[in-house]
Amino acid sequence: MNYKIAVLDGDGIGPEICAGAIKVLEKTAKKFGFGLSFSHYPIGGCAIDKTGVPLPQSTVEGCLASDSVLLGAVGGYKWDSLPADIRPEKGLLGIRKALGLYSNIRPAKLWDSLVGASPLKSEVVNGGIEIIIVRELIGGIYFGERGKSEENGNEFAWDTEKYSVPEIERITRVACELASKRSKKIISVDKANVLETSRLWRKTVHAYAQKHYPNITVEDMLVDNAAMQIVKNPAQFDVVVTSNLFGDILSDEAAQVTGSIGMLASSSLGDGTRGLYEPIHGSAPDIAGKDIANPIATILAAAMMLRDSFSQIEAHAAIENAVQRVLGQGYRTADIMQEGCKRVSGSEMAALIAKAV
Ligand code: NAD
């Protein structure tokens, strides 16, 4: 088996963290007997500098010709004053659209050795935290009709949330697929006591899961309660499926309870197996080029790619175990440094994880 990976290094710390992830991927592929080839394409600020646009057509074609895509991060001070339509972030929206990626999956995991980094009390997090939020990414209120008007001398503004049954069904499928490899339970978050879209959401999620994934249990939770439960009893969550707006907010809340932005990965998936895998953090221009950025989020994103795009379940577990072991041995990059631990650079951290694989 040989998988072709398109690498979009991007800007700032992007190239450093992608290099770390590639090192770990190469070691893992060797151990588990599959092949990987990497082709690099520009996106974001570096693409603007090279071609005048944040997402050149050659990058889109390279990604479409690949089996999956690894992304570092885009953006930086240099491009901050450009007009909105040629900003680096436009490249991200463009590539998601070009690849038909309608779901965003963000696991928020609290690693045993980093329990102290969580802002929650130890008795709350002792049950462990691993919340996987599956967020609908290209529908709902962010994409609905909006406008402004003036009525009787008053200024009004409005946004609309609209979801179709097929849109809800396809995100439910992604959540059920993930849950079937895990706890076999999903929590669907909505606001069905108030919103019509939420009532359709709830009905559709249940009907689809019951028909296509009868072994998956679906539980409903209102979004206001979900926001409370994430800080009160995070251990009760595994796979959560929700709309674009609710997912945007809850995934940041869940990320925060794990305490460290340099540790969290995410993926965007569509109908096929090709996905876009990336850290949740940005290009961190303040620390770029110093070899102090934590590569673990990108390494974990690469591990998700092995599991979710290539079905290399054991290889994924080997990388997660390697991260666990290296953290357990007390190695830390600057952002997660704790008293009594050994500080290492970003490239040293990647090398330690590759060795532990
Ligand atoms: P950021 O995530 O880049 O940085 C926030 C803080 O976290 C900074 O202090 C940074 O040094 C630190 N940090 C981030 N990743 C780290 C890592 N791996 N190791 C250690 N420390 C890390 O967010 P920001 O500063 O708001 O944005 C910087 C640029 O990134 C902006 O241009 C923004 O538009 C862009 N951005 C891109 C993405 C993306 O590509 N997906 C996401 C968010 C922000």
Side-chain angles (χ1 to χ4, degrees), residues 31 35 95 106 112 118-119 127 155 159 165 169 186 206 225 265 276 306 337 347:
K31 176 171 167 144
I95 194 66
R106 264 207 200 181
D112 291 349
S118 173
E155 204 179 337
D159 303 273
V165 167
E169 285 184 340
I186 60 177
H206 279 273
N225 186 28
L276 179 80
L306 296 184
M337 189 60 193
S347 56

Side-chain angles (χ1 to χ4, degrees), residues 13 17 71-77 80 89 92 96 261-262 278-287 292-295 335:
I13 60 171
I17 53 180
L71 172 81
V74 301
Y77 315 127
D80 275 352
E89 295 75 16
L92 283 184
R96 289 190 183 123
I261 195 173
E278 58 186 312
I280 72 158
H281 58 72
S283 58
D286 52 332
I287 57 168
I292 55 174
N294 186 348
D335 57 311

Side-chain angles (χ1 to χ4, degrees), residues 246-267:
F246 297 157
D248 189 7
I249 299 164
L250 293 181
S251 59
D252 268 15
E253 187 192 6
Q256 198 52 48
V257 301
T258 70
S260 39
I261 195 173
M263 299 288 301
L264 299 173
S266 93
S267 69

